[in-house]
Amino acid sequence: MTDFNALQISLEKLISSQLLVSGLIGLGFFLLFLLAIALAFRAGKSAARLALRGEMKKVREDALKRSRAVLGGLAGEQIAPFLPHFPCNPADVRFVGKPIDFIAFPGAASGDPIKEILLIEVKTGDAQLSARERQIRDAVESGRVRYVQYRI
């Protein structure tokens, strides 16, 4: 019986050591799985960060481009009356800014009679009229313009 008990104990030790080894192998695979997930998360985060940097760079470049266009347009508006082919004498022009750039009274500076009043919108490059600027143009072209005297 002793041999049987010894065999049984040896067998139990073998089974428990195999369970221990299997458990350790399972734990190892589980840890490798967690490590793979952590590395994938980190790689994804790095890729997202690089993509975000690239997108931010594009956004900044676009903002800079638009800012330059706006500043160029503003500078162009201020010097427009002094450029060739401007529709009237710069001395006859008053800067308004918004919603139109200038109002002009041709002949006013020289003392000549004023025969017309010009609303002038300056555009640079391929800039288009805004919706409000188109409404003003349409009101003038259809004759919906009045002179109003306001007394206090």
Side-chain angles (χ1 to χ4, degrees), residues 50-69:
L50 287 174
L52 183 60
R53 277 191 204 140
E55 190 63 30
M56 289 295 291
K57 184 177 180 182
K58 288 179 187 176
V59 168
R60 284 183 182 140
E61 288 172 355
D62 183 59
L64 186 60
K65 181 180 173 184
R66 289 173 187 264
S67 176
R68 286 181 181 152

Side-chain angles (χ1 to χ4, degrees), residues 1-8:
M1 280 256 176
T2 314
D3 286 338
F4 181 72
N5 285 341
L7 183 61
Q8 187 178 7

Side-chain angles (χ1 to χ4, degrees), residues 31-94:
L31 291 175
L32 283 174
F33 177 72
L34 288 178
L35 180 63
I37 289 175
L39 289 175
F41 179 75
R42 187 170 182 183
K45 193 173 177 181
S46 294
R49 193 176 293 134
L50 287 174
L52 183 60
R53 277 191 204 140
E55 190 63 30
M56 289 295 291
K57 184 177 180 182
K58 288 179 187 176
V59 168
R60 284 183 182 140
E61 288 172 355
D62 183 59
L64 186 60
K65 181 180 173 184
R66 289 173 187 264
S67 176
R68 286 181 181 152
V70 168
L71 290 175
L74 292 174
E77 287 175 1
Q78 295 298 316
I79 64 168
F82 305 100
L83 296 176
H85 310 295
F86 192 75
C88 60
N89 181 348
D92 294 335
V93 176
R94 299 297 174 262

Side-chain angles (χ1 to χ4, degrees), residues 105-124:
F105 308 95
S110 62
D112 294 337
I114 297 173
K115 296 180 182 168
E116 65 178 339
I117 297 171
L118 304 176
L119 301 180
I120 303 170
E121 180 61 35
V122 177
K123 294 291 181 194
T124 58

